[in-house]
Amino acid sequence: MYFSEKFDAKLFLSRIHQDTPAADLEAGALGLKTDLQGRTQQRKQLVKDNFDCFVSCKTTIDDIESKLKRIEEDPEGSGTTHLFKCMQGVCSLADRAFEPLFERQAQAEKIRSVQGMLQRFRTLFNLPSTIRGSISKGEYDLAVREYKKAKSIALPSHVKILKRVLEEVEKVMQEFKGTLYKSMEDPQIDLTSLENTVRLLLELEPESDPVWHYLNVQNHRIRGLLEKCTSDHEARMETLHNELREKAISDAKWLQIQQNLSQSSDANYSLGNIELPIELQPLALTGEEVDVLRGKYIKRLTTVLVHHIPAFWKVALSVFSGKFAKSSQVSDSSGGKSEEKVGDGRYSSHSLDEVAGMMRGTISLYEVKVLNAFRDLEESSLQSYMSDAINEISKACVAFEAKESAPPIAVMALRTLQAEVTKIYILRLCSWMRASTEGITKDETWVPVSILERNKSPYTISYLPLAFRSVMTSAIDQINMMIQSLRSEATKFEDMFAQLQEIQESVKIAFLNCFLDFAGHLEHIGIDLAQNKSSKEGLHLQNGFSHESEEESSSDLPGSIVDPHQRLLIVLSNIGYCKDELSSELYKKYKCIWLQSRDKDEEESDIQELVVSFTGLEEKVLEQYTFAKANLIRTAAMNYLLDSGVQWGSAPAVKGVRDAAVELLHTLVAVHAEVFAGAKPLLDKTLGILVEGLIDILISLFHENESKDLSSLDANGFCQLMLELEYFETILNPFFTSDARESMKSLQGVLLEKATESLSEVENPGHNRRPTRGSEDAAADEKQQGASVSPDDLIALAQQYSSELLQGELERTRINTACFVESLPMESAPDSVKAAYASFRGPMDSPSKNYRGTQATGSPSFTQRRRR
């Protein structure tokens, strides 16, 4: 502070002007100096211009001072000191003369004053007893009027006895106020009595707000009832816990007695010597009995709220709307404050929003208690106690939404609670869906359901997908019902709408995840089947038999599938049923839960995601099935090509399709029958894979034994194999894929190349066999004994055998291969039969025409097949 005597210029500059540039400081200092010099110069000029006036005033003042001093110093003069002493003497003489008279006059005045006061305030002295009598008689209005009269009397401030009387009156009225306040705590007080009590308190001008006191009392009473419900619930839980513990101890004692009796060989035992386990592990309070208590606890809490909050709010509305305590309008002029309150329609210094906030706090306490109890409910109570609790909360919401039953903030809080518990319930249902999905997969019975049970589905499914659908529909129907109830309220409250959208998205994710979980469980079942099959085959190879298979078959249900391959087909049917039917059926049924905008793109994306997942799983399980069948086909192919007793370097004449070829085809017939019965929609795909695998196996076996059993291939062997390959291609034509046809061309090319190579290496043309045929066979022998046989000759010879024998072999084995032809040839219509088989001639010619091309390209195509 620069005007202070302790002003420090350096400190001032360092604090105030620490960021001021030096140039500005120098300019400011120069300005201050200039101003100071100007002010000094002005002062000097003022003195110079008025110097005569200053001198004249000083002279006059000095003259007046000297005259006053001379007057005071003169004892006989007119000074103030002399006059004061004279007046003091006169007063002392008067006091001595009139002192007794003044004393008697003062006493008389006091007596008259007391007499007048007693006369004037005689009612006041009787007031304490009068008020007590009125209060004891219940005449509260009369007591209040007497009190207000006493308050209106203007009392002299110096009369202490009157103050004591008024203090006594105040004491009586304070006791009366306390009685009135106490009466408002009565839970059974009616509205009329409450209005009279508030009116009386308002007229008595209490220190605290009587209406707010009553509202606080009622709010505390409601909170107390909620706490009472909690304490009662905890006591019941403790009682149940003790009962369960006593039962557990009793069971443990009985078990111990039984064990001791079974271990003791002495008949003279003493129960008193048996040691009993008194201390047990802490018991977890679970089960239906506990949930019953929790459900009743939530119901009691809700009942307290529904019974007390609406009445509480109606009183608050009447207070703050001017309809309350109308009888308090008095005409007494002394009740100005009460009249002002009544006239304004306000009986409390607080606002209705504060009452709403008070009720919101009580409902928050209710929310905490209900949420804690609701979360403790077990998932086994999904269909009973949880839904009952939500219904109780919904009833409370309806009761609160009635006219003048609760403030909007309380309704919103309760609706939010309803949405919260509904969300918990829905999430529990979603969790239950996933847990139940895992549970039902552990109870696979392998019993195919009837065609009616699967709604004429082409998939031969077990009960597993139907159980899964039952779990899903049971849970999602409940979810749908809950969401519908929330949706009707979500339009009113923005917070609930956001929460509803979150719940809908959670349900959608849970729905999709349940399908994915089910797909994962089906995959595990398929993997376990494949692993068990492998382990059983290994055990069978070591011991010759399997005890596990016997035990397993003995525990299977009647009509259940035992064969692992057929079980894999059931798994495939279950997957296909979920992919093609169940996923889209349930999604379209319940998409209204989460697709409010009917977004087709999102719907197709979700369904496509499920289809892709099940398709990938289908590929994995189908790969396991085809791998197992490929092993059987490989064994049959080895019997057909290597173990049939034919020496391919000196093969007998071609008479038709060998039994070994028919046996090889029987493996595919068995697969056809198995897949047709177990997973019909996958028939074409499965046989297509296996047919391609058969051709690849034959190529692989040929290359593996090219230097051993297949080191030489004569013309008869070549024609025999070509006839049988054409037989296979004709019968299996519906299942030949483009890759299978390419593999067949490669195999035929390999055989042609091997036969040409074998015939060119023969040095002795006299390689004859015993004549077992007619003239046509002899002619064929002569052709093959030539010094050099070209590939065209071999192709022509193979085509000749095919044209002569294939039709007859197809007719001969039509029963064996009937499953591969949609319309079987009938003996009564031979022309149509020939026409039907003639349709297969198209693809039969193309391999023969390409033999030379295959031979010309040589090893590249063969090595490609070998890598496969």
Side-chain angles (χ1 to χ4, degrees):
M1 294 184 293
Y2 50 83
F3 52 81
S4 174
E5 295 180 356
K6 298 180 180 180
F7 176 70
D8 189 341
K10 294 182 180 179
L11 182 60
F12 177 79
L13 291 175
S14 62
R15 292 286 184 87
I16 305 301
H17 294 286
Q18 56 181 348
D19 298 325
T20 305
D24 292 346
L25 290 174
E26 291 175 357
L30 181 60
L32 288 175
K33 289 179 181 178
T34 304
D35 184 66
L36 180 59
Q37 290 175 359
R39 289 175 182 272
T40 304
Q41 188 64 33
Q42 289 175 2
R43 193 179 296 111
K44 290 179 180 180
Q45 185 64 36
L46 178 63
V47 173
K48 182 178 179 181
D49 294 341
N50 297 281
F51 182 74
D52 292 339
C53 294
F54 291 149
V55 172
S56 176
C57 289
K58 181 67 169 64
T59 304
T60 303
I61 292 171
D62 291 343
D63 290 344
I64 293 171
E65 183 182 6
S66 63
K67 288 180 181 180
L68 290 175
K69 286 182 178 180
R70 286 196 303 271
I71 292 171
E72 287 296 327
E73 292 174 355
D74 187 4
E76 299 296 332
S78 59
T80 56
T81 303
H82 178 68
L83 290 176
F84 175 75
K85 290 179 179 180
C86 291
M87 292 298 295
Q88 195 174 21
V90 173
C91 288
S92 63
L93 291 174
D95 288 338
R96 288 194 300 269
F98 296 103
E99 183 175 3
L101 180 61
F102 288 153
E103 290 178 358
R104 287 192 294 270
Q105 184 180 2
Q107 292 175 359
E109 290 294 333
K110 287 181 180 179
I111 293 172
R112 284 194 296 270
S113 175
V114 171
Q115 183 181 7
M117 183 189 66
L118 293 175
Q119 182 66 25
R120 180 182 177 186
F121 297 106
R122 65 180 182 276
T123 305
L124 182 61
F125 288 112
N126 297 329
L127 191 58
S129 60
T130 303
I131 292 176
R132 282 195 180 95
S134 299
I135 292 174
S136 62
K137 295 177 184 178
E139 298 174 350
Y140 299 144
D141 292 333
L142 180 57
V144 171
R145 283 198 299 270
E146 294 294 336
Y147 173 70
K148 294 172 73 173
K149 285 181 182 180
K151 292 285 288 183
S152 64
I153 298 174
L155 298 178
S157 60
H158 62 281
V159 183
K160 296 181 179 180
I161 187 171
L162 294 179
K163 290 184 178 179
R164 288 197 297 269
V165 172
L166 286 181
E167 288 175 359
E168 182 67 21
V169 171
E170 289 291 344
K171 182 179 179 181
V172 173
M173 296 311 294
Q174 287 297 331
E175 294 174 357
F176 180 51
K177 290 179 186 178
T179 303
L180 293 177
Y181 277 119
K182 191 69 176 178
S183 67
M184 288 195 294
E185 299 178 7
D186 183 10
Q188 305 299 328
I189 188 173
D190 56 18
L191 189 59
T192 303
S193 300
L194 177 62
E195 290 179 354
N196 290 331
T197 302
V198 171
R199 176 183 57 79
L200 292 172
L201 285 171
L202 288 175
E203 291 181 1
L204 293 174
E205 300 180 5
E207 294 81 6
S208 61
D209 189 338
V211 173
W212 190 249
H213 173 80
Y214 170 76
L215 296 176
N216 271 303
V217 166
Q218 295 304 312
N219 183 61
H220 287 309
R221 187 167 67 88
I222 296 172
R223 295 175 73 96
L225 291 173
L226 294 177
E227 295 296 344
K228 180 68 166 52
C229 292
T230 302
S231 60
D232 291 346
H233 171 68
E234 291 174 351
R236 293 186 181 95
M237 294 289 283
E238 183 64 25
T239 302
L240 178 61
H241 181 268
N242 293 335
E243 292 176 355
L244 294 176
R245 184 173 182 80
E246 290 175 2
K247 184 177 182 301
I249 293 175
S250 177
D251 293 343
K253 287 180 179 180
W254 178 243
L255 180 62
Q256 186 67 31
I257 290 173
Q258 289 181 326
Q259 290 177 354
N260 291 341
L261 289 177
S262 63
Q263 294 174 1
S264 176
S265 59
D266 187 4
N268 298 324
Y269 64 91
S270 174
L271 289 176
N273 295 329
I274 296 176
E275 296 181 1
L276 301 177
I278 303 300
E279 294 296 330
L280 298 175
Q281 294 294 330
L283 295 176
L285 285 176
T286 57
E288 185 175 359
E289 294 178 347
V290 180
D291 285 342
V292 168
L293 293 181
R294 292 186 180 122
K296 290 181 178 178
Y297 173 51
I298 294 175
K299 186 174 183 179
R300 289 190 187 96
L301 291 172
T302 308
T303 302
V304 169
L305 223 59
V306 173
H307 183 71
H308 294 282
I309 289 293
F312 182 26
W313 181 245
K314 286 178 181 178
V315 173
L317 286 177
S318 65
V319 169
F320 292 97
S321 62
K323 299 178 182 179
F324 182 74
K326 290 183 178 179
S327 59
S328 64
Q329 299 182 21
V330 295
S331 59
D332 190 350
S333 60
S334 62
K337 188 171 182 180
S338 297
E339 289 180 358
E340 182 182 355
K341 290 184 177 182
V342 173
D344 293 341
R346 292 178 56 86
Y347 305 94
S348 175
S349 59
H350 299 270
S351 65
L352 192 60
D353 291 339
E354 292 180 76
V355 181
M358 180 194 303
M359 298 177 66
R360 179 65 182 89
T362 302
I363 293 176
S364 296
L365 177 64
Y366 167 80
E367 290 175 3
V368 171
K369 295 180 181 296
V370 169
L371 282 175
N372 289 337
F374 193 85
R375 290 191 179 102
D376 291 338
L377 288 171
E378 299 180 13
E379 288 191 0
S380 59
S381 306
L382 284 176
Q383 305 298 332
S384 55
Y385 302 110
M386 279 193 168
S387 57
D388 290 346
I390 293 175
N391 290 335
E392 289 294 329
I393 297 172
S394 299
K395 292 178 183 177
C397 292
V398 173
F400 275 27
E401 288 174 346
K403 185 178 180 181
E404 297 184 355
S405 295
I409 188 174
V411 177
M412 179 61 193
L414 216 55
R415 282 297 180 188
T416 303
L417 174 63
Q418 180 192 10
E420 183 67 23
V421 296
T422 304
K423 178 181 178 181
I424 295 173
Y425 178 56
I426 290 174
L427 293 180
R428 288 280 187 90
L429 283 172
C430 294
S431 175
W432 177 82
M433 276 196 303
R434 301 186 72 172
S436 300
T437 300
E438 182 180 1
I440 61 175
T441 55
K442 297 177 182 178
D443 300 328
E444 175 63 277
T445 59
W446 303 110
V447 178
V449 300
S450 66
I451 192 170
L452 293 179
E453 289 180 294
R454 63 178 189 256
N455 197 22
K456 298 183 180 180
S457 171
Y459 290 101
T460 306
I461 61 173
S462 67
Y463 186 69
L464 197 57
L466 301 183
F468 173 69
R469 178 169 63 181
S470 177
V471 168
M472 293 286 286
T473 54
S474 175
I476 300 184
D477 283 341
Q478 288 286 328
I479 292 174
N480 188 28
M481 183 175 65
M482 292 296 169
I483 288 183
Q484 290 298 334
S485 64
L486 285 181
R487 190 172 291 157
S488 60
E489 300 296 332
T491 54
K492 304 177 185 177
F493 307 104
E494 184 176 353
D495 293 341
M496 284 188 65
F497 184 75
Q499 199 167 16
L500 175 62
Q501 288 183 323
E502 181 182 350
I503 293 174
Q504 290 172 324
E505 187 64 22
S506 299
V507 173
K508 172 187 171 182
I509 293 173
F511 175 86
L512 298 177
N513 284 338
C514 279
F515 270 98
L516 298 180
D517 290 346
F518 188 62
H521 296 313
L522 292 176
E523 180 181 6
H524 288 313
I525 292 174
I527 293 173
D528 291 342
L529 285 173
Q531 291 176 348
N532 292 339
K533 175 65 179 173
S534 300
S535 61
K536 289 177 183 179
E537 287 177 352
L539 186 63
H540 181 77
L541 291 174
Q542 292 178 7
N543 303 332
F545 63 93
S546 173
H547 295 288
E548 294 180 3
S549 61
E550 293 177 1
E551 294 174 359
E552 188 174 81
S553 61
S554 64
S555 62
D556 286 331
L557 297 174
S560 65
I561 303 298
V562 179
D563 183 69
H565 294 166
Q566 294 180 11
R567 287 187 172 185
L568 277 175
L569 289 176
I570 287 183
V571 174
L572 282 171
S573 287
N574 292 342
I575 295 170
Y577 179 77
C578 292
K579 178 189 70 174
D580 297 337
E581 299 181 22
L582 187 59
S583 59
S584 58
E585 172 195 343
L586 293 183
Y587 190 96
K588 291 177 181 178
K589 180 179 179 181
Y590 295 113
K591 66 182 180 180
C592 59
I593 296 177
W594 53 78
L595 286 183
Q596 294 304 311
S597 60
R598 302 293 188 269
D599 190 347
K600 287 291 183 182
D601 294 337
E602 185 177 355
E603 176 183 350
E604 293 175 359
S605 174
D606 292 336
I607 296 178
Q608 185 62 27
E609 180 183 351
L610 294 177
V611 170
V612 169
S613 299
F614 280 106
T615 301
L617 176 59
E618 182 180 87
E619 295 290 341
K620 291 181 181 179
V621 179
L622 183 61
E623 181 181 355
Q624 295 172 359
Y625 178 78
T626 54
F627 178 78
K629 291 301 179 182
N631 290 334
L632 299 177
I633 293 174
R634 182 177 180 85
T635 301
M638 290 179 65
N639 293 333
Y640 160 75
L641 197 60
L642 304 176
D643 300 333
S644 60
V646 176
Q647 298 295 328
W648 297 108
S650 57
V654 180
K655 294 182 179 181
V657 176
R658 295 176 299 139
D659 291 342
V662 178
E663 290 297 327
L664 175 60
L665 196 61
H666 280 174
T667 59
L668 292 176
V669 172
V671 171
H672 184 283
E674 197 172 74
V675 177
F676 186 88
K680 185 177 179 181
L682 298 175
L683 180 63
D684 292 348
K685 185 176 183 179
T686 305
L687 287 179
I689 294 173
L690 292 178
V691 167
E692 183 179 349
L694 171 63
I695 307 302
D696 290 342
I697 287 171
L698 292 175
I699 294 175
S700 174
L701 290 175
F702 182 84
H703 288 297
E704 290 174 2
N705 298 273
E706 192 172 3
S707 59
K708 300 176 185 178
D709 298 339
L710 296 175
S711 58
S712 176
L713 181 65
D714 64 0
N716 283 341
F718 172 75
C719 292
Q720 182 70 44
L721 291 176
M722 292 300 295
L723 173 64
E724 291 171 354
L725 290 179
E726 190 171 2
Y727 173 76
F728 292 151
E729 187 174 7
T730 302
I731 293 174
L732 301 175
N733 182 65
F735 309 105
F736 257 77
T737 63
S738 58
D739 290 339
R741 297 190 190 282
E742 291 297 325
S743 297
M744 178 63 80
K745 292 177 184 178
S746 298
L747 177 58
Q748 291 170 339
V750 168
L751 293 177
L752 178 61
E753 181 181 8
K754 187 65 177 179
T756 304
E757 179 183 347
S758 298
L759 292 175
S760 64
E761 292 177 355
V762 176
E763 297 179 353
N764 185 11
H767 183 229
N768 292 325
R769 284 174 292 279
R770 291 179 296 173
T772 59
R773 299 169 295 167
S775 59
E776 295 178 355
D777 296 339
D781 284 341
E782 291 176 359
K783 291 180 182 180
Q784 75 174 8
Q785 292 172 1
S788 63
V789 180
S790 67
D792 291 338
D793 295 335
L794 289 175
I795 293 172
L797 184 61
Q799 290 180 339
Q800 179 182 350
Y801 279 120
S802 176
S803 61
E804 293 174 357
L805 301 175
L806 181 61
Q807 185 66 35
E809 291 303 308
L810 291 173
E811 182 71 18
R812 179 175 67 85
T813 61
R814 69 183 186 278
I815 301 299
N816 305 70
T817 62
C819 61
F820 297 118
V821 183
E822 293 182 357
S823 58
L824 291 176
M826 305 298 293
E827 293 180 356
S828 59
D831 295 336
S832 62
V833 170
K834 293 179 181 179
Y837 277 96
S839 63
F840 296 131
R841 297 300 297 173
M844 293 301 299
D845 296 338
S846 57
S848 301
K849 295 178 181 179
N850 291 333
Y851 293 158
R852 184 177 298 277
T854 306
Q855 184 183 13
T857 56
S859 58
S861 62
F862 304 151
T863 55
Q864 180 182 9
R865 285 293 139 191
R866 194 175 295 116
R867 286 196 299 271
R868 293 185 60 185

